[in-house]
Each structure stands twice: as C-alpha cells, then as structure tokens.
C-alpha cells in the first residue's frame, strides 16, 4: 500500500471555515422519557450512558425526567444504583460523581407488566406526576421500546387504551430493529403502530444512521459539485460495501438463531448505506425529501427470484479459527447454538439498481461475523480510462477508487495514478486521504447520542419510515425464503478470522473484479 498521502488537513477547516449548513429548526423541550425495559441490556449498556453523556454535554433542557419501566419491583434508589453501576462498567470514562448526583435525581423507576393493563393506568398517573402541575408542566413524552420486539404490540395497544399516545402530551415512540421478520410481519406491525400513533410520532432506529461517517455520505455527495457529475453508470464501474465484524455472536445465541445475517445486518444497516450512496439528490434537507429518495432506491433494486438468489448470493457460516492469534470456536460450537444449525453468519451478494443512474452497475455487498477484522467501508470503483497509454499499474490496482471509511478508519480516500519517479514509464497508485481524527480532531461518538438528541428535537431525518422498512424487507425476503426453504449445503464454509467463504471471492471474480479488502 503506498503511503504518499496528500494531506488536506487544515486547522481552519475546524475553526474558521466551519459553517452551520442547516439552520437549527428544532429544539429540545422539557420531556419525560419512559424506557420500557429500563433495566435491560440495551438500557444499561447504551441508552443510559448515552443520556448521561448528553446531560454532561449540556444538551438536555433544565427540566427532564427519565422513567425506567420493567417487571422487577424496586425503589427509585435501587434503580439509580443499577444505572450508576452500568455507567461505571460500560462507559467508565464518562463518570463524574457530582454530575451523576444531579442527573440521578431525574431518574425514576416503575414496576409494571408489559402486558398488564393496570400497569398502564398507573403509568398514566406517574407521567402526570412527573410532568408537574405548574403552568410550564412538561408536555412531551417519549416512549423508548428497549424490549424484545414481540412485546411491541402489547405495549403500544396498552398505551393507546390508556390514551397515552395522542392524549394531552405530545408523544413520540422510539423503536429498535428488528421491525418484523419479513415484509408481511412488518406490514402487520406497522398497522398496529399506525392505529395508535401518527407516522410523525414514530422514530425507528437504525444505529448506523447515527454514525458520523454515515451521515457524511449525503454531505459529501451533495455539498461538492465535483463528484456528482461522475456519480453514475457512465463513470462508475461498480460499488462495494463491506460490513465485516471479527466478533462472533457474543451472548446472543437465541436472537441470532432466529435472525441470521440477512435480517441482522443486510435488511437494515447495509441497505441504508446503499441507499445513501445510490439515491438521487433530494430537493431539500427535509426529513421526508431524503426518506422519499431512499425509498425510491429500495424499490428500484432488482427483485430476485430463486434462480437469482442462487446465482447472485453466497451464504456462509463460520467454523473454528483464530482471531487476533486466539482460537475461537465455530458458530455451531457456540453456547446455545444447535450443533446442526444452518443459520448463515455471512453473505456476499450482488445487487442491481434498475434506474437510469445505475443500470448495469453491480453493487457487491459482503457482511459476516468472525471475519478477519472489524471494518465497514464503501468503495466506489471508477471505470478504467478508455485507452491504456501507460502500461498496467503496478500491483494491478485500479487507479480511481473512492473509499468512504465508515469504521474504524473514519475518513475518505481517493486513489489516483501518477508517474512513478525515475527513468521508466510506470504508473503508480497513490491516495489522497482525509481522516476525521487527523484532520478534524474528531473521535467517534456512540451513534445513540445523536439519535436520542434528534428524537428529542423532533428531527426525523435519521430514522426509517414505514414504507422504507417494508421496501427493504421486499429486497431481502426472497433470499431469506430461498435459504430457509433449501438450506445451503457445506456449512460451515469459512474459517473464523478470514474474509469469508471461497464462493464470495468467486462471486466477484467471475465478473473480472475483486474485493478491495482481502
Ligand atoms: C447490530 C447487530 O444491529 O449491529 C449486531 O444486531 C452487530 O449483530 C451490530 O454486531 C454492529 O454494529 P456496529 O456499530 O458495531 O458496526
């Protein structure tokens, strides 16, 4: 890899030249947040640490209350201790005793059953109490569903029955993926939600959209005029999206056996990345302008039948191997996994977007657990020049590749060819690099913070809309169906700590291309 980086850093880029592109239209009003599953894993690991950090950064209004709702009886004080322990365990660097004392006074707990109607009558009273009786009583209530998805219908119907969805409070619902198991169940769930809430009250979280580098895709594409004219089938040969993880399924055997890689990563995170790369310029920065364009992309992805699934997708499951020099077990040997499981932990896929911009441009997608490293990137591979005047590039690399590094390398690089200095005539690939860390002194924030703030403000730009969710299921349903109806032979078929099964290389190599990361 050449290391000649053209450094485009500038202190001024951070200070003097920063501009507020979007005037702030939203602000956070005093609120009550009810977290269903308030003492569960997601709440302890992510939500409460994120809320505490938002508080430390002085982004919360003076008046707010957070109410954990879960099934175990316990007083507020005990709940506060649990959350303090969680912050100390999962985000120790954040902890500041004095601020914690003040923050924790806004933290409350209520025991209740998700399916128990009586609990919601008590909840209604508790919300009124927390809102206060004064003229500036809090009138915003946010319900966070940090619970397994099968509880959603009950919770929503019970909230609605107690007039807690559209009553005297301005309410919002935050829901976590998965939104259904396929298109049909997603439609059903959306109907239940729509019977209780208006679409403008529903915030469906895809944490990828809270990542700074993912949000930047829109800025990069539509704030610079030099790329957009080239951003189409005339100049782009193909696009690659890799979401590689080196961790396994951790302690989520039950979840993963029911989910698999397509539902876990492709239906949501990868299709969101693809939409941001492929969408048409929105006519403005309004949430719905952007979400409309994304839905158009999902609807233009070529539908697959069984034959296409066989031809354009490769499934994989990891066997034992080594990660960072340490032996790790195969998927079937993980605790809680069936020794005969056919669940896929890897997929490589070729998609086409049948519209004028992208006709015949393949999008190669790859994601898996226990791969060689943890890396997510999108690479745009431009066409070769029409005539080769200078012989082949050394290392046989394509000269013009634009890489959008999502994680852990957060940045953008553009490769181009130069003359290798010296007597001969040799083309040499170099890169221009932009790094968030180096150039903007930025270190990534957990995406939950941004998403929570946006929801509190009422900005829906980074949240998925009902029709988008259903259209995304429409893309992946045929793959899931095909794989479940005729389980893939030969699993496990890749060693932990590698870039996936051989078939994944073959998928792209038979088109005369290769994966950028290998
Ligand atoms: C989650 C998946 O949505 O995303 C996990 O359920 C996966 O299986 C995780 O590990 C990856 O997120 P990130 O931000 O670490 O890339």
């Amino acid at each position: 890899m050449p290391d000649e980086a053209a450094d485009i850093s500038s202190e001024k880029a951070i200070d003097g030249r920063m501009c507020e592109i979007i005037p702030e239209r939203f602000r956070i009003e005093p609120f009550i947040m009810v977290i269903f599953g308030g003492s569960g894993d997601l709440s302890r690991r992510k939500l409460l640490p994120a809320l505490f950090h938002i508080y430390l950064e002085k982004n919360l209004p003076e008046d707010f209350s957070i109410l954990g709702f879960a099934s175990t009886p316990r007083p507020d004080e005990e709940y506060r201790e649990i959350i303090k322990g969680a912050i100390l365990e999962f985000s120790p660097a954040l902890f500041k005793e004095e601020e914690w004392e003040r923050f924790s006074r806004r933290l409350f707990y209520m025991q209740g059953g998700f399916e128990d109607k009586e609990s919601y009558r008590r909840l209604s009273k508790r919300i009124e109490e927390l809102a206060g009786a004064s003229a500036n009583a809090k009138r915003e209530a946010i319900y966070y569903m940090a619970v397994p998805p099968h509880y959603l219908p009950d919770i929503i119907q019970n909230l609605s029955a107690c007039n807690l969805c559209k009553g005297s409070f301005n309410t919002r619902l935050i829901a976590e993926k998965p939104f259904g198991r396929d298109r049909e169940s997603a439609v059903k769930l959306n109907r239940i939600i729509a019977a209780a809430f208006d679409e403008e009250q529903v915030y469906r979280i895809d944490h990828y959209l809270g990542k700074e580098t993912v949000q930047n895709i829109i800025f990069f594409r539509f704030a610079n005029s030099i790329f957009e004219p080239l951003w189409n089938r005339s100049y782009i040969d193909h696009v690659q999206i890799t979401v590689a993880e080196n961790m396994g399924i951790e302690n989520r055997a039950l979840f993963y056996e029911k989910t698999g890689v397509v539902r876990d990563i492709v239906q949501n995170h990868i299709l969101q990345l693809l939409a941001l790369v492929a969408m048409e310029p929105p006519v403005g920065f309004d949430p719905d302008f952007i979400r409309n364009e994304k839905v158009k992309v999902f609807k233009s992805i070529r539908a697959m039948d069984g034959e296409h699934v066989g031809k354009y997708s490769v499934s994989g499951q990891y066997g034992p191997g080594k990660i960072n020099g340490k032996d790790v077990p195969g998927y079937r040997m993980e605790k809680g996994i069936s020794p005969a499981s056919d669940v896929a932990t890897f997929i490589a896929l070729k998609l086409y977007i049948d519209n004028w911009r992208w006709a015949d441009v393949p999008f190669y997608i790859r994601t898996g657990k226990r791969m060689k490293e943890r890396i997510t990137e999108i690479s745009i591979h431009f066409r070769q020049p029409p005539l080769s005047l200078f012989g082949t590039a050394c290392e046989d690399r394509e000269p013009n590749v634009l890489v959008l590094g999502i994680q852990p390398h957060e940045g953008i690089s553009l490769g181009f060819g130069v003359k290798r200095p010296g007597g001969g005539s040799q083309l040499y690939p170099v890169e221009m690099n932009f790094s968030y860390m180096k150039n903007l002194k930025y270190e990534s924030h957990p995406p939950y913070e941004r998403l929570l703030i946006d929801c509190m403000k009422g900005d829906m730009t980074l949240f998925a809309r009902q029709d988008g969710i259903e259209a995304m299921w429409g893309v992946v349903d045929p793959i899931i169906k095909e794989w479940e109806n005729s389980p893939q032979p030969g699993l496990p078929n890749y060693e932990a700590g590698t870039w996936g099964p051989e078939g994944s290389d073959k998928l792209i190599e038979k088109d005369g291309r290769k994966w950028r990361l290998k």
Side-chain angles (χ1 to χ4, degrees):
M1 183 81 123
D3 57 5
E4 295 87 342
D7 190 355
I8 59 167
S9 76
S10 152
E11 283 299 326
K12 284 190 203 142
I14 318 174
D15 304 324
R17 282 197 252 150
M18 185 162 72
C19 51
E20 188 63 32
I21 297 180
I22 314 297
E24 204 45 274
R25 286 170 294 166
F26 306 99
R27 49 176 270 203
I28 305 180
E29 301 293 340
F31 67 88
I32 299 161
M33 180 180 283
V34 182
I35 306 181
F36 291 92
S39 48
D41 207 46
L42 176 69
S43 297
R44 288 182 303 111
R45 277 174 193 270
K46 306 262 182 187
L47 298 183
L48 270 308
L51 286 164
F52 184 48
H53 194 227
I54 298 171
Y55 175 78
L56 292 179
E57 300 265 291
K58 304 205 180 337
N59 281 322
L60 288 187
E62 271 300 302
D63 191 9
F64 70 92
S65 308
I66 297 168
L67 176 65
F69 180 113
S71 54
T72 312
R74 55 170 76 93
D76 290 340
E77 244 351 287
E78 190 181 318
Y79 183 57
R80 290 173 186 151
E81 281 308 305
I82 292 175
I83 300 304
K84 179 178 176 181
I87 295 175
L88 285 169
E89 181 180 354
F90 299 115
S91 307
L94 283 186
F95 196 77
K96 296 198 175 78
E97 188 70 48
E98 219 174 282
E99 274 88 348
W100 167 256
E101 284 304 318
R102 268 181 264 133
F103 176 83
S104 66
R105 275 180 238 141
R106 319 288 184 86
L107 206 51
F108 305 91
Y109 181 79
M110 162 176 173
Q111 184 278 331
F114 302 136
E115 292 149 344
D116 169 38
K117 294 198 176 23
E118 176 51 29
S119 299
Y120 293 80
R121 282 190 274 275
R122 287 191 288 116
L123 175 64
S124 176
K125 281 202 196 116
R126 193 78 197 265
I127 292 178
E128 283 295 347
E129 279 162 27
L130 292 173
S134 71
N136 3 334
K138 287 173 271 194
R139 262 10 234 171
E140 306 264 331
I142 300 170
Y143 306 121
Y144 202 118
M145 304 286 134
V147 291
H150 62 269
Y151 285 121
L152 250 64
D154 273 320
I155 297 177
I156 291 166
Q157 282 159 350
N158 282 326
L159 285 172
S160 179
C162 285
N163 204 21
L164 283 167
C165 303
K166 292 184 194 167
S168 54
F169 282 82
N170 178 15
T171 61
R172 290 170 200 157
L173 173 79
I174 309 186
E176 284 279 336
K177 80 172 183 69
F179 308 103
R181 288 186 56 72
D182 51 20
R183 190 170 183 285
E184 199 185 324
S185 52
V187 170
K188 227 177 184 171
L189 177 61
N190 280 330
R191 264 198 220 123
I192 293 172
I193 296 176
F197 292 94
D198 294 330
E199 181 63 24
E200 299 71 56
Q201 295 175 280
V202 185
Y203 291 72
R204 297 176 187 83
I205 284 207
D206 180 321
H207 79 277
Y208 261 61
L209 295 178
K211 292 181 193 276
E212 197 62 53
T213 44
V214 174
Q215 292 167 47
N216 182 52
I217 298 171
I218 291 192
F219 283 74
F220 177 76
R221 282 192 57 196
F222 304 125
N224 298 297
S225 60
I226 59 171
F227 297 106
E228 204 45 29
L230 310 180
W231 210 264
N232 56 54
R233 65 191 304 273
S234 307
Y235 297 95
I236 293 177
D237 176 73
H238 74 281
V239 175
Q240 297 183 17
I241 302 179
T242 293
V243 177
E245 296 188 85
N246 55 7
M247 62 180 205
I249 50 155
E250 308 293 290
N251 297 318
R252 301 195 303 159
L254 200 65
F255 161 83
Y256 206 85
E257 281 280 90
K258 280 199 250 147
T259 308
V261 66
V262 178
R263 290 191 177 99
D264 192 33
I265 304 281
V266 182
Q267 185 271 339
N268 32 69
H269 308 327
I270 288 198
L271 287 181
Q272 288 289 354
L273 294 179
L274 179 136
L276 289 167
V277 171
M279 69 191 227
E280 294 301 314
V283 291
F285 204 68
D286 265 35
D288 271 333
F289 289 152
I290 294 170
R291 301 193 301 177
N292 289 345
E293 295 307 332
K294 285 196 200 167
V295 174
K296 284 191 213 158
V297 173
F298 302 138
K299 290 190 172 166
S300 327
I301 294 176
R302 189 178 302 170
M304 292 200 231
D305 55 17
E307 192 191 328
H308 277 81
V309 172
K311 223 162 108 190
Y312 290 162
S313 74
V314 174
S315 70
Q317 187 193 76
Y318 62 87
K322 272 192 190 323
I323 301 274
N324 299 329
K326 272 202 190 136
D327 288 329
V328 294
Y331 179 71
R332 291 178 180 184
M333 302 160 188
E334 302 269 17
K335 201 166 143 228
I337 300 295
S338 150
S341 174
D342 282 324
V343 168
T345 61
F346 174 96
I347 180 171
L349 178 66
K350 178 161 76 162
L351 291 175
Y352 285 102
I353 300 173
D354 286 335
N355 62 19
W356 276 51
R357 186 187 284 265
W358 295 114
D360 299 328
V361 176
F363 283 69
Y364 298 98
I365 279 161
R366 192 173 50 153
T367 181
K369 298 271 182 206
R370 285 284 190 230
M371 290 177 67
K372 195 168 174 72
E373 50 185 282
R374 175 177 184 259
I375 186 163
T376 297
E377 70 160 46
I378 301 166
S379 50
I380 319 290
H381 299 246
F382 289 89
R383 288 184 187 279
Q384 297 283 1
L387 199 63
S388 175
L389 295 182
F390 309 110
T392 35
C394 60
E395 297 173 32
D396 195 23
R397 290 185 61 202
E398 302 150 286
N400 301 134
V401 180
L402 177 72
V403 179
L404 307 176
I406 307 295
Q407 64 188 25
H409 314 296
E410 301 179 298
I412 298 175
S413 75
L414 177 64
F416 51 93
V418 296
K419 177 185 175 298
R420 186 177 191 126
S425 297
Q426 195 182 17
L427 191 58
Y428 191 70
V430 292
E431 281 172 359
M432 249 193 320
N433 286 311
F434 154 68
S435 144
Y436 277 82
M437 172 91 98
K438 225 173 108 201
N439 305 116
L440 297 181
K441 315 279 180 276
Y442 169 82
E443 275 180 72
S444 61
H445 280 304
Y448 273 97
E449 290 181 23
R450 168 69 197 244
L451 295 171
L452 283 166
I453 291 178
D454 280 9
C455 173
M456 290 169 193
K457 285 181 180 166
D459 181 349
M460 308 197 86
T461 312
L462 301 178
F463 298 85
R465 207 172 54 189
Q466 169 206 344
D467 51 348
I469 297 283
E470 291 168 14
M472 287 190 276
W473 279 117
V475 174
V476 299
D477 269 359
I479 308 172
I480 294 173
K481 215 183 273 164
E482 184 64 20
W483 287 6
E484 285 178 353
N485 288 347
S486 37
Q488 305 296 293
L491 302 182
N493 58 357
Y494 71 98
E495 223 176 274
T498 65
W499 286 106
E502 224 183 309
S504 154
D505 293 332
K506 286 196 185 135
L507 176 83
I508 188 166
E509 283 166 9
K510 71 180 178 226
D511 294 344
R513 305 181 175 105
K514 55 188 176 200
W515 292 111
R516 202 187 91 81
L517 293 167
K518 56 186 295 168

